[in-house]
């Protein structure tokens, strides 16, 4: 007999059931709902059949609702394709681990269809942030060969507070534009901000750096190439905006420039509020 379909050991079974009960509590299922199929054989058979059918969506009258669209992870992957990077892909690429609670949170907070369609239409990626909060120097340590400065560098100096204080969040979704905001080149910082919608904000240097290097790590595709840079919300000790870009096999470059400058290769980055 094949051993591939044997039931898991008792401790793993209990752990899975405890997790199921905890998750369904969030959906309004309390202990009395579980007692019903336990004590009623008809309810038990109904539940078994429902599980065998893959837990289809039901209407108000209990009828099965047929849907032609996938949901959750499958929907994001269908619409965004390579521009959707899941926690599992980040974990595999970097050899990091997410907790069960973080994976549940990703599933619970995945944007809906309208937001995902907006991301696709506006050249965004949707990427899982790392399992721990990280600053710029810590993101560089994930894969330092993807940065022009493998160690040290101007932003590693103690006086450059942004590289330690600005963070990428732990276990959240980051929706960020893959390239510069359209028509944002040859404009000042103030002029560039006027191009953002009310649903967008300017991400910090570590968020942009994490997103573009992780995209390469997972997809093998360079972003912000051809000597193009984007301004971020991070500020150097010289009171200049930190810029990220010119990403190629020599690594991602991070520099700073005066807010009043309007260079032809300096645009602005944007992220979507979720």
């Amino acid at each position: 007999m094949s051993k591939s379909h044997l039931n898991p050991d008792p401790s793993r079974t209990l752990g899975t059931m405890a997790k199921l009960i905890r998750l369904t509590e969030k959906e309004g299922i309390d202990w009395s709902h579980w007692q019903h199929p336990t004590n009623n054989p008809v309810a038990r058979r109904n539940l078994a059949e429902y599980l065998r059918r893959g837990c289809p969506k039901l209407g108000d009258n209990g009828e099965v609702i047929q849907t032609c669209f996938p949901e959750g992870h499958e929907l994001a992957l269908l619409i965004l394709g390579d521009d959707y990077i899941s926690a599992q892909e980040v974990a595999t690429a970097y050899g990091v681990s997410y907790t069960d609670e973080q994976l549940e949170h990703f599933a619970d907070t995945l944007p809906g269809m309208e937001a995902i369609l907006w991301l696709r239409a506006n050249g965004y990626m949707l990427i899982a942030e790392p399992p721990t909060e990280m600053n710029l120097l810590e993101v560089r340590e994930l894969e330092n060969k993807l940065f022009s400065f493998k160690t040290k560098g101007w932003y590693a100096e103690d006086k450059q507070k942004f590289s330690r204080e600005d963070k990428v969040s732990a276990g959240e979704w980051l929706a960020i534009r893959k390239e510069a905001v359209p028509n944002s080149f040859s404009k000042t910082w103030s002029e560039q901000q006027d191009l953002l919608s009310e649903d967008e904000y300017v991400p910090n240097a570590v968020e942009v750096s994490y997103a573009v290097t992780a995209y390469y790590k997972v997809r093998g595709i360079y972003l912000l190439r051809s000597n193009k840079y984007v301004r971020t919300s991070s500020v150097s000790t010289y009171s200049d905006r930190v810029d990220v870009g010119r990403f190629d096999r020599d690594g991602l470059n991070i520099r700073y420039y005066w807010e009043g400058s309007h260079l032809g290769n300096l645009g602005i980055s944007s992220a979507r509020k979720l």
Side-chain angles (χ1 to χ4, degrees), residues 80 83-85 110-111 119 124-128 173-175 274:
L80 293 175
D83 295 336
Y84 171 64
I85 298 179
L110 189 65
L119 297 180
Y124 270 66
M125 73 169 87
L126 181 64
I127 183 170
W173 290 111
L174 175 61
L274 297 177

Side-chain angles (χ1 to χ4, degrees), residues 203-235:
N204 61 40
V206 62
E207 290 174 316
V208 178
S209 299
Y210 169 76
V212 297
T213 54
Y215 194 91
Y216 176 81
K217 182 70 175 175
V218 177
R219 300 286 180 240
I221 298 173
Y222 291 109
L223 303 175
L224 301 177
R225 300 193 65 176
S226 304
N227 200 33
K228 294 294 192 296
Y229 286 82
V230 290
R231 280 187 170 112
T232 72
S233 63
S234 295
V235 180

Side-chain angles (χ1 to χ4, degrees), residues 85 89-90 93-94 125 127-130 134-150 155 168 174 176-179 204-225 230 244-254:
I85 298 179
E89 290 177 299
V90 172
Y94 286 112
M125 73 169 87
I127 183 170
E129 294 182 305
M134 291 184 175
N135 61 33
L136 179 58
L137 302 181
E138 291 166 332
V139 165
R140 183 172 68 175
E141 289 176 4
L142 285 172
E143 189 76 69
N144 67 351
K145 69 180 182 181
L146 297 180
F147 290 78
S148 59
F149 286 116
K150 318 306 178 190
Y155 53 82
V168 60
L174 175 61
I176 192 166
R177 196 181 291 269
K178 295 165 58 182
E179 301 290 344
N204 61 40
V206 62
E207 290 174 316
V208 178
S209 299
Y210 169 76
V212 297
T213 54
Y215 194 91
Y216 176 81
K217 182 70 175 175
V218 177
R219 300 286 180 240
I221 298 173
Y222 291 109
L223 303 175
L224 301 177
R225 300 193 65 176
V230 290
V244 175
R246 208 183 74 192
F247 187 28
D248 54 28
R249 63 183 181 180
D250 294 325
L252 181 68
N253 286 270
I254 301 172

Side-chain angles (χ1 to χ4, degrees), residues 5 7 19 28-29 40 57 64 66 87 90 105 110 115 129 141 147 151 160 189 191-192 211 234 239 244 252 254:
H5 299 294
N7 289 327
K19 179 179 178 180
I29 302 299
N40 187 303
K57 186 175 183 179
V64 173
Q66 300 293 337
V90 172
H105 181 69
L110 189 65
E129 294 182 305
E141 289 176 4
F147 290 78
T151 59
Q160 299 297 344
W189 164 254
E191 292 170 337
Q192 289 171 336
S234 295
S239 299
V244 175
L252 181 68
I254 301 172

